[in-house]
Amino acid sequence: VSYCGTRCISKHPEVVNMVQGEKGGVYFANMQRCGSVWFCPDCMYKLMKTRADELYRQLKTYNDKGKTVLFATFTIQHNKGDRLSYLHKKLLGAFQFANSHRKWIEAKKTIPVEYLRALEVLKGANGWHPHLHCLFVGDLEITNTIKVFIDLYKQELLRLGLVVNKHTVIVDKWNGTLDSMTDYLFKGMIEKEITGGNLTKSGSGKNFFELIDADDKQSISEYIEVMKGKRQYHHSKHFFDDVDVKTETEILTDDKVETVLFSIPIMVYADINEKGIALHFLNEYVYGGRDRAEKLLELYDCDTGFMEAK
């Protein structure tokens, strides 16, 4: 993922174009994209930002229709020595047990329910802490229906010999504020501070990118081993019936070029990239303008002649 957005896919380029797309994004054209959503901050940010926008629009529709929305956090007992693979398997297994149980299926026939869930994994002083942020949507009587799901989830945890208490599942009714719901579901995933290279800490414990920043090699390796290829975001079939949902490929593919901002000679770009500031240069331009971007290059003793020519 370290080459994402910075390694040129043209065989013999003379220049690298820094461009602005039709949707307003600024990026280097004709670059390799890794598509490793959960391990690449650039790809993950793009994906989660789009998913949050989709959710915002769908929740607004539910709100207009007078639907009841509940959000719930599903946790699992964890100890310092527990492996992430063990906790992840038990957490998702208990959720799937409830989601496929006949009692839950029968309950939804009376009061239809749609759901969306997002997995968050943190590592703290008490070890790994995976948990699920979930939204449940339905008519006014949904509260009693959701209780069936929660009871089944707890039942499976008890069968596994795990402790169940008042913190195992926490349920709140949505207050109708769209920002609060998207913040709840995507907290730690779409913080603006990601543009600085790391995601902002959300609550206790470190997320994957903070573990990288802390150079915790053992935890990083364990996380990748467990989470590679796993989807951390899932929704029921009809949750997004009112909005268009993009595929990951559509989201991660750069939009059409509207303007070429700078044409950077390939040797100059190679120097910028080798010094590890290619994406930093983009961010400085987007958030600080031409002058701040130029100062960054000067700080790293990079040629700025291409900016003067433009």
Side-chain angles (χ1 to χ4, degrees):
V1 302
S2 61
Y3 298 117
C4 185
T6 63
R7 172 176 277 183
C8 190
I9 57 178
S10 301
K11 289 187 177 180
H12 303 290
E14 294 182 0
V15 297
V16 168
N17 287 328
M18 177 176 158
V19 304
Q20 183 168 11
E22 291 180 341
K23 300 176 183 177
V26 175
Y27 56 93
F28 298 117
N30 298 317
M31 292 291 160
Q32 172 183 318
R33 290 294 178 187
C34 70
S36 298
V37 176
W38 307 112
F39 303 129
C40 173
D42 189 38
C43 288
M44 202 251 317
Y45 177 80
K46 286 183 178 181
L47 182 70
M48 289 295 98
K49 183 64 171 66
T50 301
R51 295 296 185 229
D53 291 341
E54 293 167 350
L55 176 61
Y56 190 98
R57 296 197 307 273
Q58 182 60 66
L59 285 175
K60 187 177 186 306
T61 301
Y62 283 140
N63 196 34
D64 293 342
K65 290 180 178 180
K67 295 290 185 179
T68 297
V69 180
L70 301 177
F71 55 101
T73 303
F74 290 81
T75 65
I76 188 171
Q77 177 193 358
H78 61 96
N79 299 304
K80 190 171 183 178
D82 289 335
R83 300 284 294 176
L84 178 58
S85 56
Y86 167 83
L87 295 172
H88 179 268
K89 181 179 179 180
K90 300 305 180 187
L91 176 68
L92 273 295
F95 189 93
Q96 184 56 31
F97 170 83
N99 198 33
S100 60
H101 199 282
R102 59 178 179 78
K103 289 183 179 179
W104 172 239
I105 294 172
E106 289 298 320
K108 289 192 296 178
K109 288 180 180 179
T110 304
I111 303 175
V113 177
E114 299 298 332
Y115 76 88
L116 182 149
R117 76 166 193 238
L119 172 66
E120 184 175 27
V121 179
L122 301 175
K123 177 74 179 293
N126 242 357
W128 291 104
H129 175 42
H131 50 284
L132 296 169
H133 298 292
C134 300
L135 306 184
F136 293 98
V137 181
D139 291 329
L140 187 61
E141 301 83 359
I142 188 178
T143 303
N144 292 330
T145 311
I146 299 305
K147 187 176 184 303
V148 174
F149 188 96
I150 294 172
D151 288 345
L152 289 168
Y153 175 80
K154 291 180 177 179
Q155 174 186 320
E156 179 63 5
L157 292 185
L158 289 171
R159 188 190 69 81
L160 295 170
L162 298 172
V163 172
V164 170
N165 55 37
K166 64 180 181 179
H167 302 295
T168 300
V169 181
I170 300 174
V171 182
D172 289 298
K173 188 174 181 179
W174 183 33
N175 61 12
T177 304
L178 290 167
D179 288 333
S180 69
M181 186 58 73
T182 51
D183 286 348
Y184 161 77
L185 197 65
F186 295 102
K187 68 175 183 176
M189 293 183 179
I190 56 173
E191 300 286 357
K192 291 180 181 177
E193 285 81 355
I194 190 174
T195 57
N198 293 293
L199 288 167
T200 299
K201 176 177 269 188
S202 56
S204 60
K206 294 182 174 66
N207 60 36
F208 175 64
F209 297 100
E210 290 168 334
L211 292 173
I212 292 176
D213 192 44
D215 198 28
D216 187 344
K217 294 182 175 62
Q218 182 176 346
S219 295
I220 294 167
S221 178
E222 186 176 354
Y223 180 95
I224 292 174
E225 180 183 353
V226 174
M227 301 309 299
K228 185 177 181 180
K230 302 289 195 310
R231 285 189 176 274
Q232 298 185 38
Y233 175 88
H234 177 76
H235 57 82
S236 57
K237 184 177 180 179
H238 297 291
F239 188 94
F240 284 106
D241 273 0
D242 300 298
V243 302
D244 292 328
V245 176
K246 293 183 178 180
T247 65
E248 290 186 1
T249 301
E250 289 172 333
I251 295 170
L252 297 176
T253 301
D254 291 322
D255 59 340
K256 293 182 181 179
V257 175
E258 183 176 76
T259 306
V260 176
L261 300 171
F262 301 110
S263 292
I264 309 173
I266 189 62
M267 294 307 294
V268 175
Y269 176 78
D271 181 45
I272 293 172
N273 195 30
E274 185 178 351
K275 290 174 179 175
I277 60 170
L279 294 180
H280 192 181
F281 175 63
L282 289 180
N283 292 328
E284 289 297 301
Y285 182 84
V286 171
Y287 295 101
R290 181 193 185 102
D291 290 344
R292 214 166 85 183
E294 190 168 358
K295 286 180 181 178
L296 174 71
L297 297 185
E298 292 172 349
L299 180 65
Y300 282 85
D301 196 25
C302 297
D303 188 349
T304 61
F306 68 91
M307 300 186 75
E308 297 170 4
K310 188 67 177 179

